[in-house]
């Protein structure tokens, strides 16, 4: 039994190595450790099967170097209904707080995956111990009122995934130097028919300073695992992203000088300066009629003499496939030149940015006689209506 209590493996102070898996494999070794004197218990009875450790178990090893640190206490499976129960502890939380270490929804998804992938392949003698071959989870049914906007193949060819959206839904992405948030007004549906699985998505947050992730109704463990995956992916572009206190956005902004009022000087010349006020929030809203990008507070254009402007946002209409700038002028002379500046800016966006958009977005939508098309509201009017409704998804610190 070379796996259990390996004498040749050195444990951390105060711990014992109970089991080592994959010592000679590319993915190993993976060490199962407990505090000194701790134990790992396996129980099988008429109710189900469970693995427990009162003191807690940690998984370590080179292959798990990027994984979050936590202690495992219980994993249980009930024969009667196929339910799964997980118990973990010790997951660090700094800015985001979750109500449970593992969400009930995740436990349900794991139970469904066991029904689909594992239980039908168990040896026959397990049924004599009480294991039941339960009916397969129901296949997710497409809501006829929703539209399928994405169909992709999952890694390893396991299954296809589909994303469904409700007509009229608005997807909002907000970002400042501390956080990025994504919110769906009516909720997206992610379906994996091959695994008989459906996940509803309403919103997610990513903290740029701590690297923490808060995704939908996930618990502490799921968000910590997702955070580790995001950090590893970002480290491929920026090695410093592996550090928990590194913010790529803050690092870029810190390269720009600061004026007397605390505004970042993004561009400086004899003709004009482009100034970014502190804590500016960039908000992107994507709806069925177009895309709107707003800056709150607006980015300031400090021109020569009295030619001062504020960039409030830009919109792109799917109906006419054109850009529309929203620039606030400061002063009479600036007002006289505003129309010319807006016209030139929109032409530049149409020539430089529009060719980069997907083909479907570059083609003006065909107006339906029963439902007239309309331009997306300007960034300012959209922000005002969100404030009146009290439903702005932006997150401030």
């Amino acid at each position: 039994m070379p796996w259990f209590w390996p004498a040749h493996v050195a444990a951390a102070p105060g711990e014992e190595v109970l089991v080592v898996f994959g010592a000679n494999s590319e993915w190993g070794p993976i060490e199962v450790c407990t505090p000194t004197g701790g134990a790992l218990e396996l129980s099988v009875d008429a109710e189900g099967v469970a693995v427990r450790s009162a003191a807690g178990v940690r998984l370590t090893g080179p292959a798990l170097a990027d994984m979050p640190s936590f202690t495992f206490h219980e994993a249980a499976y009930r024969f009667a209904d196929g339910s799964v129960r997980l118990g973990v502890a010790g997951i660090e939380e700094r800015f985001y707080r979750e109500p449970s270490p593992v969400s009930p929804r995740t436990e349900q998804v794991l139970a469904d995956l066991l029904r689909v992938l594992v239980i039908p392949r168990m040896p026959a003698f397990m049924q004599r111990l009480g294991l039941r071959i339960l009916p397969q989870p129901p296949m997710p049914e497409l809501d006829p009122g929703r539209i399928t906007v994405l169909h992709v193949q999952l890694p390893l060819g396991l299954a296809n995934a589909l994303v469904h959206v409700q007509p009229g839904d608005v997807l909002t992405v907000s970002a400042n130097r501390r956080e990025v948030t994504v919110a769906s007004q009516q909720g997206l549906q992610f379906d994996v028919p091959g695994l008989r699985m459906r996940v509803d998505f309403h919103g997610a947050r990513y903290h740029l300073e701590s690297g923490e992730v808060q995704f939908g109704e996930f618990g502490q463990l799921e968000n910590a695992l997702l955070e580790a995956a995001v950090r590893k992916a970002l480290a491929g572009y920026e090695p410093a992203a592996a550090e928990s206190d590194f913010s790529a956005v803050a690092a870029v902004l810190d390269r720009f000088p600061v004026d007397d009022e605390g505004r970042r000087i993004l561009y400086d010349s004899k003709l004009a300066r482009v100034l970014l006020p502190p804590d500016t929030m960039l908000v992107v809203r994507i709806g069925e009629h177009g895309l709107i990008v707003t800056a709150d507070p607006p980015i300031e254009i400090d021109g020569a003499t009295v030619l001062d402007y504020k960039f409030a946002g830009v919109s792109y209409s799917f109906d006419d496939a054109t850009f529309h700038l929203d620039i606030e002028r400061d002063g009479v002379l600036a007002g006289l030149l505003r129309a010319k500046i807006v016209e030139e800016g929109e032409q530049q966006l149409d020539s430089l940015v529009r060719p980069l958009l997907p083909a479907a977005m570059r083609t003006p939508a065909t107006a339906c006689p029963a439902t007239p098309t309309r331009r997306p509201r300007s960034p300012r009017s959209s922000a005002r209506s969100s404030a009146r409704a009290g439903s702005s998804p932006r997150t401030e610190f």
Side-chain angles (χ1 to χ4, degrees):
M1 300 289 286
W3 288 355
F4 298 94
W5 300 282
H8 63 282
V9 179
E15 289 188 338
E16 294 179 340
V17 179
L18 296 184
V19 188
V20 176
F21 297 106
N24 299 318
S25 302
E26 295 181 359
W27 50 267
I30 295 177
E31 302 168 359
V32 180
C33 307
T34 65
T36 302
L40 189 63
E41 303 174 359
L42 171 64
S43 66
V44 181
D45 54 28
E47 296 294 325
V49 58
V51 179
R52 298 184 180 91
S53 175
V57 170
R58 287 198 318 115
L59 302 179
T60 64
L64 303 178
D66 298 321
M67 300 297 286
S69 176
F70 64 93
T71 56
F72 162 83
H73 289 274
E74 180 184 30
Y77 176 83
R78 276 176 52 91
F79 292 149
D81 57 7
S83 62
V84 170
R85 184 173 65 254
L86 296 178
V88 300
I91 299 175
E92 181 184 8
E93 293 182 307
R94 294 178 57 186
F95 295 95
Y96 301 149
R97 296 289 184 269
E98 310 303 336
S100 60
V102 180
S103 72
R105 177 57 182 155
T106 297
E107 293 178 333
Q108 181 60 53
V109 169
L110 290 175
D112 290 345
L113 291 177
L114 288 176
R115 284 198 201 185
V116 174
L117 301 176
V118 178
I119 302 303
R121 296 173 174 82
M122 296 298 290
F125 76 85
M126 290 297 297
Q127 297 183 43
R128 294 194 293 271
L129 296 177
L131 179 67
R132 298 183 182 181
I133 305 300
L134 299 171
Q136 295 281 292
M139 187 73 71
E141 297 183 3
L142 176 62
D143 183 348
R146 287 182 175 266
I147 303 171
T148 301
V149 295
L150 186 63
H151 187 178
V152 296
Q153 177 77 35
L154 294 181
L156 304 179
L158 292 177
N160 294 322
L162 299 96
V163 180
H164 312 297
V165 64
Q166 191 77 27
D169 191 14
V170 176
L171 186 66
T172 303
V173 181
S174 308
N176 58 18
R177 63 177 292 142
R178 299 182 184 90
E179 184 185 53
V180 176
T181 67
V182 181
S184 172
Q185 202 171 74
Q186 301 185 36
L188 304 179
Q189 285 183 347
F190 295 86
D191 285 351
V192 186
L195 301 179
R196 296 175 176 263
M197 184 173 64
R198 166 171 288 172
V199 177
D200 294 322
F201 172 81
H202 289 275
R205 300 195 293 175
Y206 176 67
H207 202 283
L208 295 168
E209 294 177 350
S210 69
E212 288 177 276
V213 174
Q214 187 178 59
F215 187 95
E217 299 178 356
F218 279 3
Q220 297 173 2
L221 177 61
E222 307 94 286
N223 280 320
L225 294 173
L226 184 58
E227 171 189 333
V230 171
R231 180 174 288 124
K232 185 175 182 179
L234 293 178
Y237 300 96
E238 174 55 64
E243 304 173 10
S244 61
D245 291 323
F246 175 81
S247 169
V249 174
V252 171
L253 291 177
D254 288 342
R255 298 175 185 173
F256 296 96
V258 181
D259 69 0
D260 296 338
E261 299 180 22
R263 299 171 296 184
R264 294 282 175 184
I265 304 175
L266 304 182
Y267 175 78
D268 191 4
S269 73
K270 295 180 179 180
L271 297 178
R273 295 188 307 163
V274 179
L275 306 173
L276 180 69
D279 295 325
T280 292
M281 175 76 72
L282 296 179
V283 182
V284 180
R285 294 182 178 88
I286 305 174
E288 62 179 332
H289 289 285
L291 178 150
I292 299 176
V293 181
T294 59
D296 184 19
I299 297 173
E300 301 175 15
I301 304 174
D302 184 14
T305 60
V306 292
L307 297 178
D308 297 334
Y309 300 90
K310 291 184 178 180
F311 172 78
V314 59
S315 64
Y316 181 78
S317 172
F318 297 154
D319 298 334
D320 56 15
T322 56
F323 285 94
H324 306 278
L325 279 175
D326 187 1
I327 294 180
E328 304 173 3
R329 50 83 174 163
D330 185 6
V332 177
L333 182 57
L336 296 176
L337 299 177
R338 177 185 176 278
K340 183 62 176 177
I341 294 175
V342 169
E343 181 183 357
E344 290 290 337
E346 292 176 350
Q347 290 178 356
Q348 291 295 321
L349 289 172
D350 282 334
S351 62
L352 298 177
V353 180
R354 187 167 171 266
L356 304 178
L357 297 175
M361 293 186 180
R362 299 197 302 266
T363 304
T366 302
C368 175
T371 307
T373 60
R374 60 180 184 274
R375 266 183 51 182
R377 291 174 296 172
S378 70
R380 280 180 295 177
S381 64
S382 177
R384 285 195 297 267
S385 63
S386 296
R388 286 196 298 268
S391 59
S392 174
R394 295 179 300 165
T395 304
E396 302 284 0
F397 288 89

